[in-house]
Amino acid sequence: MKMFSFLIPAIATLLPQNADYFERVEPAQNNDKDDESVVQDNSIEHHAILRKFQDSYRFLRFAKHSSHRSHSSHRSHSSHSSGTINKHYSHTSHTSGTSSGGYGDSYSNSSAGSSSASSSKTSQSSVVEKKITLSSGNPTDTSVNLLWVFSGFSFNSDVEIEIYQNGKIIKSFYSTKTTSLIAKNLTYSTSYNFYVVVKESGKTYTSNIVTVRTLSDPYSYDRNEIGINLSELEKNSAILVSSIENTIELSKNSKILIVDFYSGESINSKGREVANALTASFRNSNKCTIVSLPLEDKETMKKSGGIKDYKQACSYGKQFSANYVCYGTIEKISQEKKFKVNLKMIDVKEENIVTVKETFISEK
């Protein structure tokens, strides 16, 4: 700046002086009359002043432009000829391979930070999230299909899969990529919550929660509309049980399985009511133990329309370790307003029928 302030006056001295811009012209005077004023033409001088002003204006613009370039050169962002960038020069060079000090250092640190952040972001985005997506399908009155999809799991190590129903484990799988399960033994018209948990390498991952409502009982019926006298059925069932106990020596250790009687109807409401009435009568006598079927088998029996076959009844008895199986039929007597109940008792161990009983129930 000091040098610049010194150069401006020096350069100004080099500019043409006033004498260089116009010629001195003596004013013309009228000598005829002494009382008339002198007339002087200043147009040439005026023109010279304008030229001088324009030259000065161009000089100042030149000086200002040079000053700006001088200051800018100290913080220029690039160099076209340097092989090494010093602390006053640019961040990068077209031919340079190194940088040092000043603005160059600042830019290098910024670039490094940006590169590091970009690398970190790339590294994080490359990590695959481990996820389990659970869904359900085809719910029935007592079951529902559960399906799940794995994402991000390698299954290269020991993996444990747990299926939860209303917060309790209903099934576990180890070291296998199982993706489906049928949840059974559910209650009609009931909502259930399910989710899947995966344990891998000491970490636990939980799926989304799926809520499923089972369908209503397709074999439900109105007891008052099944067509038989229920109070008479209960009374006659107690008589049948008493007769059986007099025929067979039963004890507390005697286990009796009572299956649905066969009625030949799709819903089998009459056959189920006979089995329920006999079960209640045996329990009231308190002389033996009644075997309870799992819900799943009860559903199978309902859908089959009852059990009338000897071999099938005996198979049920063996499956549930019963000593006796009570089975039979209920059928309408032709041209009469009543139904005949035919009851048979099988000794499961001996595989033979030990007694046959029958009773009649009025039509309602």
Side-chain angles (χ1 to χ4, degrees):
M1 290 295 294
K2 292 181 178 180
M3 181 177 292
F4 175 74
S5 60
F6 170 79
L7 287 175
I8 292 178
I11 296 174
T13 59
L14 300 177
L15 291 175
Q17 301 302 313
N18 291 349
D20 299 328
Y21 283 87
F22 58 91
E23 298 178 355
R24 294 183 180 272
V25 180
E26 295 293 335
Q29 297 184 1
N30 190 345
N31 298 322
D32 296 338
K33 296 181 179 181
D34 296 333
D35 57 344
E36 290 183 6
S37 60
V38 177
V39 178
Q40 182 173 331
D41 184 3
N42 295 326
S43 60
I44 297 177
E45 180 180 359
H46 178 71
H47 180 71
I49 291 173
L50 288 179
R51 287 180 57 197
K52 181 176 182 180
F53 173 79
Q54 291 174 354
D55 288 348
S56 300
Y57 177 75
R58 285 195 297 270
F59 169 74
L60 291 176
R61 285 176 58 88
F62 167 78
K64 183 177 180 181
H65 179 68
S66 299
S67 175
H68 176 70
R69 292 184 60 187
S70 175
H71 284 286
S72 298
S73 64
H74 287 282
R75 55 180 185 269
S76 172
H77 284 225
S78 64
S79 173
H80 295 274
S81 59
S82 175
T84 303
I85 304 175
N86 59 30
K87 65 180 180 179
H88 291 291
Y89 279 86
S90 65
H91 304 161
T92 59
S93 172
H94 292 281
T95 58
S96 173
T98 56
S99 64
S100 62
Y103 294 97
D105 287 344
S106 175
Y107 182 83
S108 298
N109 292 337
S110 174
S111 299
S114 175
S115 176
S116 177
S118 176
S119 176
S120 176
K121 184 176 181 181
T122 303
S123 177
Q124 292 177 1
S125 63
S126 63
V127 177
V128 179
E129 179 184 4
K130 294 186 177 182
K131 187 178 181 181
I132 313 109
T133 303
L134 176 64
S135 61
S136 63
N138 301 323
T140 68
D141 50 317
T142 58
S143 66
V144 61
N145 290 343
L146 300 176
L147 307 169
W148 56 92
V149 177
F150 295 110
S151 177
F153 291 91
S154 61
F155 288 91
N156 293 329
S157 57
D158 290 340
V159 177
E160 180 180 0
I161 304 172
E162 298 175 339
I163 315 302
Y164 283 78
Q165 173 183 307
N166 290 347
K168 296 182 179 180
I169 298 177
I170 59 173
K171 190 71 175 180
S172 295
F173 304 96
Y174 295 90
S175 300
T176 178
K177 192 178 180 180
T178 303
T179 58
S180 64
L181 175 73
I182 299 178
K184 301 179 180 179
N185 301 328
L186 307 181
T187 305
Y188 317 121
S189 305
T190 305
S191 295
Y192 294 88
N193 294 326
F194 298 94
Y195 61 90
V196 178
V197 172
V198 175
K199 297 179 179 179
E200 181 186 50
S201 301
K203 295 184 179 180
T204 301
Y205 306 89
T206 304
S207 74
N208 55 304
I209 297 176
V210 171
T211 301
V212 185
R213 184 174 180 82
T214 55
L215 304 180
S216 58
D217 183 3
Y219 298 94
S220 62
Y221 56 86
D222 187 342
R223 296 183 74 240
N224 295 321
E225 297 180 358
I226 63 175
I228 61 176
N229 190 321
L230 293 177
S231 60
E232 188 176 316
L233 175 61
E234 293 174 2
K235 179 181 177 181
N236 291 359
S237 293
I239 294 173
L240 284 175
V241 168
S242 179
S243 177
I244 291 171
E245 290 174 345
N246 292 332
T247 304
I248 305 172
E249 294 183 2
L250 300 176
S251 66
K252 292 287 186 178
N253 295 327
S254 299
K255 296 189 295 183
I256 298 178
L257 173 62
I258 303 172
V259 298
D260 287 356
F261 279 48
Y262 178 81
S263 67
E265 300 175 343
S266 58
I267 296 180
N268 195 34
S269 57
K270 296 178 179 65
R272 288 167 64 186
E273 287 298 323
V274 171
N276 291 339
L278 289 171
T279 299
S281 296
F282 270 113
R283 284 177 175 164
N284 289 336
S285 70
N286 199 28
K287 290 184 179 180
C288 60
T289 301
I290 303 300
V291 176
S292 297
L293 284 175
L295 180 60
E296 182 178 1
D297 292 283
K298 284 185 177 181
E299 296 302 316
T300 301
M301 190 176 298
K302 283 196 305 184
K303 295 174 182 178
S304 67
I307 307 298
K308 70 173 182 178
D309 180 80
Y310 163 81
K311 291 183 178 180
Q312 190 177 6
C314 192
S315 176
Y316 264 101
K318 291 179 179 179
Q319 180 180 348
F320 297 101
S321 303
N323 302 113
Y324 300 94
V325 177
C326 177
Y327 76 107
T329 60
I330 177 172
E331 55 185 342
K332 186 175 183 178
I333 299 177
S334 300
Q335 299 178 347
E336 294 186 30
K337 294 185 177 181
K338 60 183 179 182
F339 293 85
K340 177 183 177 180
V341 176
N342 184 277
L343 179 153
K344 298 176 182 179
M345 291 286 291
I346 299 177
D347 185 321
V348 177
K349 185 178 180 180
E350 298 295 332
E351 295 188 355
N352 68 315
I353 298 175
V354 293
T355 187
V356 176
K357 305 290 181 178
E358 65 179 32
T359 187
F360 295 90
I361 310 298
S362 300
E363 182 182 355
K364 184 178 179 180

